[in-house]
Amino acid sequence: MIFLNSIRWRLQLWHGLLLVFVLAGFGFTAFQLQRSNQLRGIDQDLQHRIEVISRVMHRPGQGPGRSPPAGFGPVDGPPRDNFGPPRDRPGLEGSSPPRPVSPEERDRREDFLRGSPRFGEPPKARLPDPQSPDFAPALRDLPLTPQDLNLFDSSASNAFYYLAWTRDGRLLYHSESAPANLPPAPRGPGLSITRMRGTLREMLHYLPPGECILVGRDIGRELADTRRFAAVLLGAGGAVLAFGLAGGWWLATRAIRPIKDISATAAKISTGDLSQRIPPADTDNELGQLANVLNSAFARVEAAFAQQARFTSDAAHELRTPVSIMLTQTQASLTRERPAPEYRETVEACQRAAQRMRRLIESLLELARLDAAQEPIKLGRLDLAGTAADCVEQVRPLASERLITIETDLAATECSGDPERLAQVITNLLTNAIHYNKDRGEVRVSVQQQNGSVILTVTDTGQGISSEDLPHIFERFWRADKARSQANGRTGLGLAIAKSIADAHGGTIEVVSELGKGSTFTLRLPATRALSNQ
Amino acid sequence: MRILIVEDEPDLLSSLAKALREEGYAVDTANDGEEGFYKAESWDYDAVVLDVMLPKLDGWGVLQKLRKVKKTPVLMLTARDASRDRVRGLDTGADDYVVKPFDLAELLARLRALIRRAAGQTRNLIEIGEVTIDTAARIVRRAGVPVTLTAREYTLLEFLAVHRRELVTRTALYEHLFDEDDSTLSNLLDVHVSNIRKKLGAELITTRRGHGYCIE
């Protein structure tokens, strides 16, 4: 069932279920409508006939004492008292007077009363001769409207039959075509009962005195029509379902293809070439946005990878020089016997190289620790001015070697930070300011509190930094002069470490510089515990 | 053979210069790119060992400027072994490439090969009549018997042998055999030549009076 996890299959499944549901609902409704329409038509027809027959049975002027037409009913004759005028059907009371009936019309009436000649088994009871003067005398003189007469048209009354029972269940009349196997009329509580008996649609009507009229019709043809209609509906529904499923599959394929493309490209990128990008086919739609999001994520990952790779290669590069010094020094000195001072020189050179490697490794480890945030910054309350003053005292001998003066403007402040780390930053800024200064130059150090920040600035009067180098000077191993100047133990990591420390304190470090005039480095730390709050 | 080393690491520079001098090369040194280019342009070095990371003018810059005026063989020294860097170095006109940290022996062998190739030689064995010179082992044989030469005598002989059938002027010999710190007197050249003749036969080196020397 793994395919159920695929969006396409799930879409297809839901789509299919929805389609089946909609089609079934629609088909069922259509079928019901058609069926009820058909039945209503038939029932109306039956109702109409019942009305006509009941009118025949209770013709006004035909008293209850009048005998029923000879031969038009059960052989033993109907009970006379059953033929009272309808008491609850005033519509029939006020019928218009009889009008002359044409011979064709009479034929149709007889057809009606006999029922369809095509229908069912022949009735057991014999019908009277239609030519007899007693035949359906009431019907002959009925005031039938042309619409009613249509009912007697043999073509319109196909498969129609009727029966009538007396109140005590004796069969009073029946049409020639009435099925003989009809059970006696049941005593229903209502006035009218409509029922299905096999393919026969029957309507029972109880007249108020108690007689019962049953009018029925074989609706086999209509039922077959309905079944055909259902079959057509089913077939059409199936076709629509198949078409809809195929369309849904096509749509799902179309909708999923870009996703598949994206995931294929993403997989390729994540396993191999990070410089590849998902082609943003259409940036306006959701998938285009997804592609853009993924692309920017890849760009960040690539940048991080590139930075990492550059850092590693830079670190290796920085380590290579001292290693080559040690190698050439020792190899050259081992080519022959040498006097002791030469060996001493070699050993000293090796020591210098080893110390340089140690500094580099320490810096690298420190950066790695800051990167991984392994050693959390030990936040303690500290006066940055005091720290700065200590640092200035440390570097003063270095400055006086080159007759550089250090001026300080240190206002007492309080911020939280790691004094050791911050001292490292300040010392680094100060040694840079001295190293890149001109002889007899000047270094100004100031600490002040401003807008919730503690700000330390170190300004030198040195060579400055070119605008091309300026954005890079906090990068690892970046050197403005592109050359190693290992004489003073610079690793090219000092400012990068300073930035990492500033970041770890939630602060910033910035530089402004003018070529030939000097640079100003600004360390900004949040004054979380300002003096005013104490 | 006179070689220029351009390298800004003092300890590396000193040990390289010492090793090369002990190999009998005349060695000049430069601490930055500008000085290196100035020296490489003003003298006909047999080879230049050029570091890539240099102050003032980096190795690429030196090489680019030098290639416009001279065909001096250049061996690049770099701490980067990315193939992109190697390709760039070779494309810019470097003749060989050595990645730090390197073995001194390898550097010396590459230098020898570089000088040999520049003189049109492909083997490290030069035969002149019954005299053979093995430039890799720095051994000279006469009729199969090793002959002991001083370092100066050897470099003089090798230089003349490498430029066989060419007239080598005294100036060229001074330029290629002695470095800038040497205060050798001109007559010393004659002393070396006569010593070689004593050891390997008088007819080996012919003197073109007033011009220089030649090995036919």
Side-chain angles (χ1 to χ4, degrees), chain A residues 313-314 317 320-321 323-325 327-329 331-332 335-336 338 342 346 349 352 356 482-484 486, chain B residues 7-12 14-16 18-19 22 51 53-55 79-81 99-105:
Chain A
S313 112
D314 282 344
H317 167 232
R320 275 184 168 139
T321 303
V323 170
S324 24
I325 289 171
L327 266 181
T328 44
Q329 284 281 351
Q331 285 174 347
T335 48
R336 64 188 67 171
R338 290 173 195 283
E342 273 191 49
T346 303
R352 282 192 293 274
R356 180 169 161 190
K482 301 276 195 302
R484 300 167 295 271
Q486 57 95 52
Chain B
E7 169 63 65
D8 65 324
E9 299 284 346
D11 284 336
L12 191 56
S14 70
S15 59
L16 272 181
K18 188 166 92 182
E22 283 171 3
D51 190 15
M53 296 278 270
L54 291 170
R80 290 182 188 274
D81 60 352
V99 177
K100 290 180 192 173
F102 49 84
D103 264 322
L104 199 55

Side-chain angles (χ1 to χ4, degrees), chain B residues 163-177:
Chain B
H163 301 92
R164 200 175 169 187
R165 295 182 191 95
E166 286 174 35
L167 174 70
V168 182
T169 62
R170 294 176 68 85
T171 321
L173 279 174
Y174 278 119
E175 280 193 3
H176 286 277
L177 301 187

Side-chain angles (χ1 to χ4, degrees), chain A residues 387-462:
Chain A
T387 312
D390 291 346
C391 295
V392 166
E393 288 319 307
Q394 267 182 24
V395 300
R396 226 180 255 287
L398 196 65
S400 51
E401 270 177 33
R402 294 177 56 204
L403 304 172
I404 293 169
T405 55
I406 303 180
E407 285 179 21
T408 54
D409 172 18
L410 308 173
T413 59
E414 193 158 319
C415 62
S416 60
D418 181 338
E420 212 172 299
R421 290 271 168 81
L422 289 175
Q424 192 183 348
V425 174
I426 298 168
T427 308
N428 181 268
L429 293 179
L430 286 173
T431 48
N432 275 348
I434 294 166
H435 177 71
Y436 294 107
N437 218 323
K438 60 187 183 210
D439 288 348
R440 298 176 189 280
E442 193 180 290
V443 174
R444 276 193 306 277
V445 185
S446 83
V447 173
Q448 54 185 308
Q449 191 149 357
Q450 192 183 314
N451 298 336
S453 298
V454 173
I455 298 167
L456 172 130
T457 60
V458 177
T459 308
D460 66 61
T461 54

Side-chain angles (χ1 to χ4, degrees), chain A residues 270-488:
Chain A
S270 63
T271 55
D273 186 3
L274 273 176
S275 66
Q276 272 197 45
R277 290 289 174 274
I278 299 163
D282 189 358
T283 48
D284 285 342
N285 65 25
E286 293 86 338
L287 289 175
Q289 287 161 12
L290 172 67
N292 279 345
V293 168
L294 282 176
N295 275 344
S296 60
F298 283 136
R300 285 193 58 181
V301 170
E302 188 193 9
F305 261 76
Q307 199 192 350
Q308 192 60 39
R310 200 170 58 235
F311 181 65
T312 312
S313 112
D314 282 344
H317 167 232
E318 295 292 324
L319 282 170
R320 275 184 168 139
T321 303
V323 170
S324 24
I325 289 171
M326 292 171 86
L327 266 181
T328 44
Q329 284 281 351
T330 51
Q331 285 174 347
S333 84
L334 287 175
T335 48
R336 64 188 67 171
E337 284 297 321
R338 290 173 195 283
E342 273 191 49
Y343 284 126
R344 186 181 180 84
E345 267 175 41
T346 303
V347 172
E348 280 170 355
C350 286
Q351 192 192 21
R352 282 192 293 274
Q355 274 171 346
R356 180 169 161 190
M357 285 162 78
R358 190 191 64 191
R359 275 195 302 273
L360 185 65
I361 288 164
E362 277 171 1
S363 297
L364 286 173
L365 281 176
E366 172 144 28
L367 268 179
R369 273 198 298 269
L370 284 167
D371 280 351
Q374 276 176 349
E375 265 174 54
I377 294 284
K378 289 177 233 109
L379 288 180
R381 214 182 293 170
L382 104 145
D383 179 10
L384 203 62
T387 312
D390 291 346
C391 295
V392 166
E393 288 319 307
Q394 267 182 24
V395 300
R396 226 180 255 287
L398 196 65
S400 51
E401 270 177 33
R402 294 177 56 204
L403 304 172
I404 293 169
T405 55
I406 303 180
E407 285 179 21
T408 54
D409 172 18
L410 308 173
T413 59
E414 193 158 319
C415 62
S416 60
D418 181 338
E420 212 172 299
R421 290 271 168 81
L422 289 175
Q424 192 183 348
V425 174
I426 298 168
T427 308
N428 181 268
L429 293 179
L430 286 173
T431 48
N432 275 348
I434 294 166
H435 177 71
Y436 294 107
N437 218 323
K438 60 187 183 210
D439 288 348
R440 298 176 189 280
E442 193 180 290
V443 174
R444 276 193 306 277
V445 185
S446 83
V447 173
Q448 54 185 308
Q449 191 149 357
Q450 192 183 314
N451 298 336
S453 298
V454 173
I455 298 167
L456 172 130
T457 60
V458 177
T459 308
D460 66 61
T461 54
Q463 60 208 39
I465 303 156
S466 76
S467 53
E468 301 124 53
D469 292 331
L470 209 53
H472 301 289
I473 62 161
F474 293 108
E475 287 176 16
R476 292 164 187 194
F477 294 119
W478 182 269
R479 282 197 190 85
D481 59 4
K482 301 276 195 302
R484 300 167 295 271
S485 34
Q486 57 95 52
N488 41 43

